[in-house]
């Protein structure tokens, strides 16, 4: 199993367990998160770019992977992703660089996986 499959499988498995707890607050928060990134006044691509930049500044590797995957699905290209990376690095400073490295690695995997699906 590659890094992308491993991340997605773990995330799905744990989300199922979390939702099975039937906790109203957690369910509402998850729903709010889902609705935040839905098409609205801002398109999905823009929302994912914002989510990615914020995740990088907050240094959440799981969030970065999630938003990279969603950005890839939304059709962002490498040039656009690197502009997001540059914004996040400027805002967050040098502490973002280790997360930037992992983000580049994950983006490359997404691109490789996409090419193998063709």
């Amino acid at each position: 199993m590659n890094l992308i499959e491993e991340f997605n499988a773990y995330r799905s498995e744990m989300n199922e367990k979390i939702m099975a707890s039937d906790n109203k607050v957690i369910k509402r928060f998850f729903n709010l998160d889902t609705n935040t990134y839905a098409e609205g006044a801002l398109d999905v691509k823009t929302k994912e770019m914002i989510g990615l930049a914020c995740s990088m500044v907050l240094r959440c590797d799981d969030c970065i992977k999630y938003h990279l995957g969603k950005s890839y699905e939304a059709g962002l290209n490498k040039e656009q992703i690197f502009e997001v990376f540059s914004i996040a690095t400027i805002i967050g400073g040098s502490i973002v660089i280790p997360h930037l490295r992992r983000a580049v690695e994950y983006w490359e995997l997404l691109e490789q996986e996409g090419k193998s699906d063709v």
Side-chain angles (χ1 to χ4, degrees):
M1 188 179 307
N2 72 30
L3 185 61
I4 297 167
E5 292 169 343
E6 189 177 306
F7 172 74
N8 289 329
Y10 175 77
R11 186 175 179 282
S12 293
E13 178 185 348
M14 296 313 296
N15 282 350
E16 285 179 28
K17 290 180 180 186
I18 291 166
M19 295 311 251
S21 72
D22 203 30
N23 181 286
K24 184 172 29 174
V25 174
I26 292 173
K27 282 186 170 188
R28 286 182 176 173
F29 186 86
F30 273 52
N31 183 269
L32 181 65
D33 181 67
T34 299
N35 286 319
T36 297
Y37 290 95
E39 192 82 24
L42 296 175
D43 63 20
V44 171
K45 285 183 179 184
T46 301
K47 289 182 176 189
E48 287 303 332
M49 287 186 282
I50 293 168
L52 175 58
C54 291
S55 296
M56 291 182 74
V57 171
L58 291 170
R59 302 185 307 271
C60 176
D61 284 331
D62 279 5
C63 301
I64 293 166
K65 288 176 184 173
Y66 174 79
H67 287 292
L68 281 170
K70 289 297 187 181
S71 293
Y72 187 82
E73 288 174 15
L76 273 81
N77 62 40
K78 186 175 183 175
E79 185 178 11
Q80 291 168 316
I81 287 298
F82 270 81
E83 284 195 21
V84 175
F85 290 166
S86 68
I87 292 166
T89 305
I90 287 296
I91 293 169
S94 62
I95 194 75
V96 171
I97 293 172
H99 303 277
L100 174 60
R101 290 182 188 118
R102 289 188 288 275
V104 170
E105 175 187 25
Y106 199 77
W107 182 258
E108 287 176 348
L109 290 172
L110 288 166
E111 288 183 319
Q112 288 170 9
E113 187 176 270
K115 288 176 185 171
S116 67
D117 290 343
V118 175

